[in-house]
Amino acid sequence: MPDDRPTAVAAPGPAAEPGVVVVAATPIGDPDDASPRLRHWLATADVVAAEDTRRLRRLTRTLGIEVSGRVVAHHEHNETGGAAELLDVVRAGRSVLVVTDAGMPTVSDPGFRLVAAAAEAGLPVSVVPGPSAVLAALAVSGLPTDRFAFDGFLPRKQGERGRALEALRTEPRTTVLFEAPHRLAEMLTHAAQVLGPDRRVAVCRELTKTYEEVRRGTLAELAAWARDATVLGEITVVLEGAHPGPARTPEDLVAVVAEREQAGLRTKEAVAEVAAAHGVRKNALYDAVIAARRP
């Protein structure tokens, strides 16, 4: 005889709590700078998203840590496409640890797109603070630290780099930059031309490593040093902010216009760019440029 009683249906369980994206700073040189929390997350995270998986393995071997989770490559070439898969891991209630080769993810390193996507999706994001080349260089530079800016790597092309340096001409804050060792002399020489030879600067090399070196002086002095030296290793540059001074006249800026022209701009384009950067009238600067060319 059929049972006419209603069939009991199990009530749906509560939705799984989301996991977490953890961005963690790794040593910039000395492995002993690895924090206890970094060690914990390396050993326990469900997924470790690393900028370079080989460097990750080298670090964990040095630290004596065995990674229990899945290791995936997460770098500038796959960061956008890989973020969705990593967020699915977090939605399923598991943890994703993001590490780069050195320092804090998202700061001139992969991780920003994933963190931004997680924040937009309302998923938890946590941080394991630690080593930072930016803050380490700033701390030992001897330059003001109360207000500072970080500009990463300046453009490689001379014209684009010149425009970036022009923007720093009146920047009052200390500025921290990264630079490749083989471009350091060229960059410092260009900076001395645009910002003036007496602007103070510190060049920090191989911070926390065996051959750590900090050179302090003017742009002219360190440009000369870099031209004559064999500079190797990771380079962080700390540049003094601009000091208030008398306004520059159009006649003062004729040489700056000539530099922009040498970088490939037409005269009118160069004049417009320099006039806007220095707050002078475009017509007055153009007249000064033409007058300087008259015999």
Side-chain angles (χ1 to χ4, degrees), residues 4-173:
D4 294 327
R5 289 176 297 181
T7 302
V9 178
E17 289 292 328
V20 63
V21 174
V22 179
V23 289
T26 53
I28 60 175
D30 192 332
D32 288 341
D33 291 335
S35 70
R37 290 185 62 211
L38 171 64
R39 294 168 184 265
H40 165 78
W41 280 108
L42 284 171
T44 62
D46 295 299
V47 176
V48 179
E51 182 180 9
D52 187 324
T53 58
R54 293 171 298 180
R55 292 198 180 190
L56 172 67
R57 293 189 185 97
R58 191 182 313 153
L59 174 64
T60 54
R61 281 197 304 268
T62 301
L63 299 178
I65 294 172
E66 184 174 346
V67 177
S68 61
R70 180 165 58 99
V71 175
V72 299
H74 187 70
H75 45 70
E76 61 178 338
H77 302 298
N78 71 352
E79 183 178 5
T80 301
E85 181 182 349
L86 293 175
L87 291 187
D88 285 342
V89 173
V90 177
R91 289 189 182 95
R94 296 190 290 275
S95 57
V96 173
L97 174 67
V98 183
V99 293
T100 57
D101 294 345
M104 179 61 72
T106 78
V107 182
S108 274
D109 273 324
F112 166 74
R113 290 181 178 87
L114 175 62
V115 170
E120 185 176 356
L123 295 172
V125 180
S126 185
V127 63
V128 176
S132 164
V134 174
L135 295 181
L138 190 66
V140 300
S141 68
L143 295 171
T145 60
D146 53 336
R147 299 178 67 230
F148 67 93
F150 172 61
D151 272 17
F153 286 91
L154 292 180
R156 297 183 184 183
K157 294 182 179 179
Q158 183 177 8
E160 294 175 2
R161 185 175 60 218
R163 287 189 284 275
L165 288 169
E166 282 288 350
L168 295 177
R169 184 190 288 277
T170 57
E171 170 58 67
R173 296 171 295 178

Side-chain angles (χ1 to χ4, degrees), residues 195-209:
L195 304 177
D198 296 329
R199 182 82 69 98
R200 291 189 299 162
V201 65
V203 173
C204 306
R205 186 179 73 86
E206 294 288 89
L207 289 172
T208 79
K209 299 178 184 177

